[in-house]
Amino acid sequence: MALDSVTETIAHFVGTFELTIEQARLRDQYEEFTALRRKAEVEELEDPITIRVKADLKLDPGEYDPLPYRFKTPPTEPVLPPPVDGPVQETIIVLGEPTAEGQLVPDNQLGQSGNLDFVIIQQQPEIGTHGSAVTYTMQTLTLSDNDTVGQGDFRDTETMIAEAEEALDMALSLHAMSAPSLAISDYMSSDYVEGLAEQMQTPMNSDVEGVTIHQFHGGDAMGIIVNGEHVEEAPVWSELLPEHHQPEEDAEAEAIAHLPDEWDQSEDPEFDDGHTVIVGGNLAINEVAANVAWVDAPFIAVGGQAISLTMVSQVAVVSDMDQGNAGSGSGTNVVQSAQIEVEAKAAPWLAQSTDDAEQPSFLSVDWIHGDLVVANFVKQMIDATDIDHIQTEISAASTLYAMGDNEMVNVSDLIQLGSFYDLIMIGGDMISVDMLFQTLVLMDDDVVTGGMAAGTGGGDDNLVMNQASLTTIGEDSEGELNDNLTEAMALSDMDLAALEEALLNDPMFAGMEQMRVLKIDGNLLQVNIVEQVTMLADQDDVHLSGPNGAETEVLSGSNAMLNAANITKIGVDSTVMAAGGTYSDLLLHQASLIEMPENEESEELANEAIALLMEESAGVAGQAGMGTQGPQLTPSEMLSPDDGLQSMLV
C-alpha cells in the first residue's frame, strides 16, 4: 500500500536517524580499535635513548685458577682485645687450704686429705655513678571550672582567683624552711647539707596573726601525731570523707547489681524527684607511695661522716566564711597527720654468734669507683578553681544543676629493689635526707540565698587532710671503727689480696660462712624529696527563687582534699662505724591558718549583710542586677573588715 507524503517523510526521517546513530556507534568502536592497534605497535619499539651492547664472553676454566689462601700463624704471645664499654667483672679463683694462721696454701702443696676453699673477688670498673638509681616525677593538674547560670550581682571571679593565689603564697611561707632543692649535686655538697641541718635546728616561725604551729624535734616527733597531739591510731581518709563522697552501701542496690541489666527498674538518681544544686563536691588528691630497698648491711664502715636528716612539714590554710540562710553554710574538717616509725629487723641470714664461730672463707666484693646515689624527687601540684555563679528560679517538677563535682588525682608509686650485703665500706660520707613538704589551700567562701543545706549532720562539710608516713625498717646503732677496717678502706683495687686478708680475718665477722661486701670509694647518698601542693578555690554565689527555691538542696561544700606521702625504707639493723662521727636530726612541723565562723552570731550577721546586698542590687525580686551597683566587696570583707586572713589577701 502506498503511503501518503507525510507518512513517507516521517518514515524516511526515522530511518535516516537510526542510520546516523549506528554510524556514530561504529565510528567510536573503530577509533578505539585503531588506538589499541597503534599502541601495540609503539610498545614493541625500544627506547631510542637506551643503548644495549651484547657480547658473548666465555672464559676458559683452565686459564684462571682460584687465588691461593693460607691461615695466618698464631702469635706466640697473643694480645687481648680492648675492653668493651659497659660493666665488667673480674673473678679471681684461688685454690688452697687454710692454715692455722688463716693463710692459704697453694694447691700444689695440698695433701691427699686437703680441702678446697674458694675466694672470689669481684670488682667493678671506674664508672661515675654505677649502680645508682635516680627518679624524677613531676605531676601537675590545672582545673578552671568557673560556671555562670543566669544574671545577677555576682562577685568578680578574677578577684577571687587572685585572692586564692595570694593565700597559696602565704601558705608556702608558713613552712619551717624553704622548699628543698631538686639537684643531686647540692646534696653532694657538705655546705648544703650542713645548711639543711642548721635550718632544721632553727626553723622559721611565721608571725601572721591566727597561725597555729606545732613543732617536734628528735624523739618527740616519733609516733603518730595528729594536729599537734600524739594519738594511738592514725585517722583514715576513707572514714573521714564527706557524705557526698562516701560509697553507697544500699543492700538493695548491691543485690540489683548482680542481676541482669534489663531487670534493673530503679530510676536514675540524677532524675529522681527533687531539686538539687551542686556547686561543690570536688575531690583533689596528691598521693605518693615509695618503697626503697636498694642497699643495706648489718655492718657499715664510713671513712667520713654519717649524716641523717628527716623532716616533715605540713601547712593548711582554709577560708570557709559562708554567708546566706541559717544553717546553709558548710564547715571544714582540717586534719594533719604524721606517722614516723623505726622498726627493728635483724639480718635473717646472720647466724647467732658463738665462741667457737669460724671465720668466713668465701669473699665477694662489689667495687664502685665513685659515688652511689639512690634518689627520688617527686613534685605534685593541683591548681583548681571552681567558682560558680547561679541565679535562677526553681519552678520545674525536678531540678538538677551540677556545676562542681570534679575529680583530680595525681598518683606516683615507686618500688626500688637492690641488694643486701654483709658489709658496706664507704670511703667518703654516708648522707641520708628525707623531706616531705605538704601544702593545702582551700577558699570556700560561699554566698547562698534560697535553698537548704544538703546532707545531714554536717554532711556538707569539707575535708582537708595532710597525711605523711615515713617508716624505716632496720635500726641504726653507732659503733666504733677499728684499725683493721680503717686500713681496709684505704686499700685500692690493686690490693685485692690485702683486702681479702683484712676482712676474712676480722673477728667482727666470725660466724659468717661467706662475706658479701660493697666497697664505695666515694659517697653513699640516699635522698627522698616529696613536695605536694593542692589549691582549690570554690567560692560560689547561689541565689535561688521561685516556688521550689526554698526546698532546693544546695551542695556548696563537701570538698575533699588530700596530700598523702608514704615512704618505706626497707633494710636491716645496722652498726654504723663512722670515722668522722654520726649526726641525725628529725623535725616535724605542722602549721594551720583557719578562718571559719565560731558561733551563730556570725551567721546572723552574714545573713543581714546578704539581705542588705540583695536589696541594693535588686529593687524588685527576680530583677537582680538591675539595681544600683554598690562597691564590690567580698563576703568576708562585708562580714568582718578587720579579718586577719582577708587583710592578708586583699
Side-chain angles (χ1 to χ4, degrees):
M1 178 182 67
L3 300 176
D4 55 50
S5 60
V6 176
T7 303
E8 185 177 0
T9 302
I10 295 174
H12 179 73
F13 174 78
V14 172
T16 304
F17 179 79
E18 290 179 353
L19 291 176
T20 304
I21 295 299
E22 184 66 17
Q23 182 180 5
R25 185 183 297 110
L26 293 176
R27 183 183 298 110
D28 292 339
Q29 295 177 357
Y30 175 78
E31 290 178 353
E32 180 181 1
F33 172 79
T34 305
L36 292 175
R37 185 182 63 182
R38 292 180 178 178
K39 180 179 179 182
E41 294 175 353
V42 170
E43 287 180 351
E44 291 181 358
L45 298 178
E46 297 180 354
D47 190 348
I49 62 174
T50 302
I51 301 176
R52 297 183 180 181
V53 178
K54 298 181 180 180
D56 188 9
L57 301 178
K58 295 183 179 180
L59 301 180
D60 188 354
E63 297 180 0
Y64 300 94
D65 296 330
L67 298 176
Y69 179 80
R70 293 182 301 175
F71 291 98
K72 295 183 179 180
T73 305
T76 56
E77 297 181 358
V79 180
L80 295 178
V84 297
D85 296 334
V88 177
Q89 292 185 344
E90 179 181 355
T91 302
I92 302 176
I93 300 179
V94 181
L95 303 180
E97 180 181 9
T99 61
E101 294 79 11
Q103 301 293 333
L104 289 177
V105 179
D107 55 357
N108 55 7
Q109 300 181 13
L110 288 175
Q112 294 183 356
S113 61
N115 297 323
L116 294 179
D117 291 328
F118 297 88
V119 179
I120 299 180
I121 299 179
Q122 295 180 341
Q123 67 180 51
Q124 295 178 351
E126 185 171 358
I127 301 178
T129 55
H130 179 77
S132 297
V134 179
T135 67
Y136 281 89
T137 304
M138 308 297 174
Q139 296 176 317
T140 302
L141 278 176
T142 302
L143 172 69
S144 179
D145 184 25
N146 307 317
D147 304 317
T148 300
V149 176
Q151 295 180 351
D153 188 12
F154 302 127
R155 292 172 293 174
D156 183 62
T157 301
E158 297 299 328
T159 301
M160 290 186 287
I161 293 177
E163 291 178 355
E165 293 176 350
E166 292 179 8
L168 176 59
D169 293 338
M170 182 182 61
L172 296 175
S173 68
L174 297 180
H175 283 285
M177 53 191 296
S178 57
S181 171
L182 301 181
I184 297 177
S185 58
D186 290 339
Y187 299 94
M188 288 293 188
S189 171
S190 58
D191 295 338
Y192 182 80
V193 176
E194 292 175 359
L196 289 179
E198 183 177 353
Q199 292 182 51
M200 292 178 62
Q201 287 295 327
T202 57
M204 295 183 297
N205 290 319
S206 176
D207 56 356
V208 177
E209 183 180 357
V211 176
T212 303
I213 297 178
H214 304 284
Q215 289 183 352
F216 301 87
H217 272 281
D220 295 338
M222 301 295 293
I224 304 174
I225 299 177
V226 179
N227 294 341
E229 296 182 2
H230 285 82
V231 297
E232 295 295 331
E233 296 182 358
V236 180
W237 159 258
S238 58
E239 297 177 357
L240 300 177
L241 279 174
E243 181 181 349
H244 179 72
H245 297 286
Q246 291 285 353
E248 297 182 0
E249 298 181 357
D250 189 356
E252 182 179 356
E254 184 177 355
I256 293 177
H258 298 285
L259 300 177
D261 296 339
E262 58 270 15
W263 289 16
D264 185 8
Q265 302 297 323
S266 61
E267 296 181 0
D268 191 336
E270 294 186 356
F271 297 96
D272 287 346
D273 294 338
H275 308 278
T276 304
V277 174
I278 301 176
V279 291
N282 298 292
L283 179 68
I285 297 177
N286 281 324
E287 185 173 4
V288 175
N291 295 274
V292 182
W294 199 245
V295 293
D296 203 358
F299 299 99
I300 301 177
V302 184
Q305 289 182 311
I307 302 175
S308 177
L309 303 178
T310 303
M311 179 182 178
V312 177
S313 183
Q314 300 174 323
V315 173
V317 173
V318 175
S319 178
D320 191 2
M321 305 294 290
D322 297 329
Q323 304 176 28
N325 301 333
S328 63
S330 63
T332 299
N333 183 17
V334 180
V335 180
Q336 299 199 92
S337 172
Q339 182 174 354
I340 304 176
E341 296 179 342
V342 177
E343 302 178 6
K345 181 180 180 181
W349 63 88
L350 293 182
Q352 298 295 330
S353 59
T354 57
D355 297 337
D356 56 349
E358 299 181 356
Q359 294 295 128
S361 56
F362 183 89
L363 180 65
S364 173
V365 180
D366 289 342
W367 207 308
I368 296 179
H369 299 271
D371 302 318
L372 178 61
V373 180
V374 185
N376 298 296
F377 299 94
V378 180
K379 186 173 183 179
Q380 296 177 326
M381 176 73 184
I382 294 180
D383 184 357
T385 58
D386 182 31
I387 301 175
D388 301 321
H389 298 154
I390 177 173
Q391 178 160 329
T392 186
E393 178 179 319
I394 307 297
S395 57
S398 62
T399 307
L400 173 62
Y401 285 94
M403 306 171 68
D405 212 7
N406 301 288
E407 294 185 2
M408 299 153 284
V409 179
N410 281 326
V411 176
S412 178
D413 193 358
L414 302 175
I415 299 178
Q416 294 175 325
L417 303 178
S419 302
F420 286 170
Y421 296 86
D422 298 307
L423 170 65
I424 296 178
M425 305 173 68
I426 305 170
D429 299 327
M430 183 175 71
I431 302 174
S432 177
V433 179
D434 300 300
M435 291 190 173
L436 310 180
F437 282 67
Q438 297 177 322
T439 307
L440 284 172
V441 175
L442 173 62
M443 306 296 290
D444 190 22
D445 303 323
D446 300 321
V447 176
V448 180
T449 58
M452 60 181 182
T456 58
D460 195 24
D461 290 350
N462 302 302
L463 173 60
V464 173
M465 185 173 184
N466 279 323
Q467 184 266 327
S469 173
L470 207 160
T471 303
T472 302
I473 300 178
E475 292 182 329
D476 289 347
S477 58
E478 186 177 356
E480 185 177 355
L481 186 65
N482 57 37
D483 296 337
N484 187 35
L485 284 177
T486 302
E487 296 176 357
M489 284 194 297
L491 297 175
S492 65
D493 54 352
M494 303 300 295
D495 303 321
L496 298 179
L499 179 63
E500 167 204 331
E501 180 180 357
L503 297 180
L504 292 182
N505 297 325
D506 195 319
M508 182 183 300
F509 310 117
M512 298 183 182
E513 296 181 0
Q514 60 177 350
M515 277 196 68
R516 294 162 296 175
V517 179
L518 173 62
K519 194 173 188 307
I520 305 172
D521 290 344
N523 301 323
L524 173 59
L525 179 62
Q526 303 177 87
V527 179
N528 293 292
I529 304 296
V530 176
E531 183 179 0
Q532 297 173 318
V533 178
T534 303
M535 191 274 289
L536 173 61
D538 184 34
Q539 299 160 294
D540 306 311
D541 291 356
V542 180
H543 307 303
L544 305 179
S545 59
N548 298 323
E551 61 185 40
T552 301
E553 290 189 355
V554 179
L555 187 74
S556 60
S558 294
N559 298 295
M561 303 169 63
L562 171 66
N563 285 330
N566 303 283
I567 297 180
T568 303
K569 301 167 63 176
I570 304 173
V572 295
D573 296 344
S574 305
T575 301
V576 180
M577 301 161 285
T582 61
Y583 177 83
S584 63
D585 195 9
L586 172 61
L587 173 63
L588 172 61
H589 174 88
Q590 293 178 337
S592 60
L593 177 59
I594 303 172
E595 291 290 325
M596 288 189 296
E598 297 181 356
N599 49 42
E600 296 182 358
E601 294 182 0
S602 299
E603 295 183 0
E604 294 177 359
L605 292 175
N607 296 337
E608 294 178 0
I610 293 302
L612 179 61
L613 176 63
M614 294 299 294
E615 291 177 0
E616 293 179 352
S617 61
V620 181
Q623 297 179 354
M626 299 177 60
T628 304
Q629 296 291 332
Q632 299 295 326
L633 298 178
T634 64
S636 297
E637 292 173 333
M638 293 183 292
L639 178 62
S640 177
D642 297 329
D643 180 72
L645 177 60
Q646 293 300 327
S647 64
M648 291 294 297
L649 301 180
V650 176

